[in-house]
Amino acid sequence: MYLETTRLSYTNSKAQRVTFAGFTEKDFKKRYLAALETGKREYIEKYTVPHIADLSDSDVQLALIDAFCIAREASVQADAFFSAALKSKQPNKLLSDIFSELFSTKKPGGSDYRVVQETFEKTRRGLDGSVTICDMFKGADHEPGGPSWGPSEGEVLIPQHILRDYSRRAKKSDAAGDIMRKMLEKEGEQVQDIYMRFNLVRELTVEGLARVIFHEATHKFAYTGDYQYIYDATSMKGIKAKQALYNADSYAFAGMSVYLNRVVSKADLVGPAACSQPMHDMRWLQDRML
C-alpha cells in the first residue's frame, strides 16, 4: 500500500548502529499524489508536504545522526553521574538542582537515587545496542491509526488493540502516566522502534533533538510514563515527587543537563539544527490542490 521507506544507517567504531526510517521528498510526493488520485482524504490530511523532512538532505542526516550520538553519550554520562552520586555523600550543586527542578524533590533519599540511576542505566543499555528511529509519518504504515503528524514530538508505537484494552480497564482515578507505565512494563516487548518528528530539525537544536530521542528511549527501555511534559509546561509544578521519578521528560532534561553540565530549559533547546529554510516549494502543493 505504501512506498518503501528510505533508510539511513550509521555505525560507529564500536559497531553500534542507529537506523533512521523516513522519506525523501521525491518518494513523499509520489505517496501524496497517489493519495490525491485515489481520493483517500484521510491520507491527504495526514501526509502534507510541509511537514516532511527529506532524509536525502545532508543537513537533515547530520542533524539526526549527531542528535542520536549526543543522546547516547548523555545516557552514558547520566548513568555514571548518578552511579557516583549513590556512592558519594559529597554535596553537588548540579545534582541538587536536577532533583529539585526536574524530579520535584529537594531532599532525595537513597531509594530516589537508585530509581533514577537504574532508569538511566536501562536507557543507556538500550541505546548501546542497535536502534531504529522512524519518522512519525511512518507510524501509520505499521499500525492503522498510528502516529502521523501533529503536536507530539515523538512516540513509542503500541498496537491499537493493546491501547484499547488498557484504556478500557483503567480506573478514572488512574493517572495517564501510571496507565502508560503498567502497559509498557507488561507489553514493552511489543515496542520495536522509536518514532519522532524528523521535521523538528527545523525547530530544535541538535541537543533539543537529542532530548526527544532520550525521552522516547526511556519509554522503550526503562518503561517510564508521561506525567508532565517539561518542554510544554516549562516547570514541574503540580507533579508529585513519586510521579516525577518515573516521568520521561524529567529524565530527558536531566540527561541533557548532565551532558551540558547545567540544568537546561526549553530556551536552551530551540533550534533549528538544520533546514532553517523550508525544504519544499509551497506552490507545488497549491497547484495540486486547484
Side-chain angles (χ1 to χ4, degrees):
M1 181 176 180
Y2 292 113
L3 292 169
E4 183 64 27
T5 303
T6 297
R7 302 178 77 85
L8 167 70
S9 291
Y10 168 78
T11 305
N12 65 12
S13 58
K14 297 180 181 179
Q16 297 167 320
R17 171 174 290 192
V18 59
T19 299
F20 296 96
F23 305 94
T24 65
E25 181 176 357
K26 180 179 179 181
D27 286 346
F28 187 78
K29 285 184 176 180
K30 288 180 181 178
R31 169 180 287 195
Y32 185 79
L33 290 175
L36 279 175
E37 290 163 2
T38 55
K40 296 179 179 178
R41 294 301 307 178
E42 66 272 28
Y43 298 122
I44 294 173
E45 292 170 359
K46 287 182 179 179
Y47 302 121
T48 52
V49 171
H51 296 88
I52 278 294
D54 190 333
L55 202 54
S56 68
D57 186 299
S58 59
D59 288 338
V60 174
Q61 294 175 357
L62 290 173
L64 292 174
I65 290 171
D66 285 350
F68 180 81
C69 291
I70 289 174
R72 176 180 277 160
E73 178 60 25
S75 71
V76 171
Q77 292 186 20
D79 181 18
F81 181 81
F82 282 92
S83 292
L86 270 171
K87 302 174 184 177
S88 175
K89 295 183 179 180
Q90 297 298 320
N92 183 306
K93 185 177 185 307
L94 178 59
L95 184 68
S96 298
D97 289 346
I98 286 175
F99 267 107
S100 176
E101 297 183 34
L102 303 176
F103 291 106
S104 296
T105 178
K106 293 184 178 180
K107 295 181 179 180
S111 61
D112 299 325
Y113 283 101
R114 280 191 292 275
V115 169
V116 173
Q117 187 276 320
E118 288 173 1
T119 301
F120 278 124
E121 181 181 8
K122 291 175 183 176
T123 304
R124 188 263 303 167
R125 288 180 182 274
L127 291 175
D128 271 349
S130 294
V131 179
T132 298
I133 302 176
C134 302
D135 195 329
M136 287 282 279
F137 282 86
K138 187 63 182 164
D141 289 18
H142 299 301
E143 180 71 19
S148 52
W149 64 273
S152 296
E153 296 178 321
E155 289 189 21
V156 287
L157 188 58
I158 301 290
Q160 290 291 308
H161 71 279
I162 295 176
L163 285 174
R164 286 192 296 268
D165 183 48
Y166 274 82
S167 297
R168 188 181 69 252
R169 287 188 287 152
K171 299 176 182 178
K172 290 184 179 180
S173 59
D174 289 345
D178 289 334
I179 297 170
M180 184 176 190
R181 282 181 53 218
K182 290 176 183 178
M183 180 171 57
L184 288 171
E185 286 171 358
K186 187 174 181 180
E187 311 289 350
E189 291 184 1
Q190 300 275 357
V191 178
Q192 296 181 353
D193 302 326
I194 290 171
Y195 289 79
M196 68 177 289
R197 285 170 46 208
F198 288 179
N199 62 6
L200 288 172
V201 296
R202 300 190 190 99
E203 303 171 24
L204 303 178
T205 63
V206 175
E207 291 81 9
L209 296 173
R211 177 195 63 81
V212 177
I213 294 172
F214 206 116
H215 176 118
E216 302 307 328
T218 68
H219 286 322
K220 176 174 171 57
F221 301 117
Y223 307 150
T224 58
D226 285 328
Y227 292 93
Q228 184 153 313
Y229 295 102
I230 301 175
Y231 191 78
D232 291 338
T234 70
S235 75
M236 292 294 286
K237 292 180 180 178
I239 188 173
K240 298 176 181 178
K242 185 177 180 180
Q243 293 176 332
L245 283 174
Y246 298 97
N247 185 49
D249 231 15
S250 296
Y251 286 96
F253 273 85
M256 296 313 302
S257 295
V258 172
Y259 179 77
L260 295 172
N261 199 34
R262 68 179 190 280
V263 176
V264 298
S265 66
K266 176 179 179 178
D268 298 313
L269 305 176
V270 176
C275 309
S276 57
Q277 298 297 321
M279 289 184 291
H280 303 283
D281 183 356
M282 286 298 296
R283 290 173 299 178
W284 174 84
L285 179 60
Q286 292 167 355
D287 291 342
R288 290 299 308 177
M289 296 300 289
L290 292 177

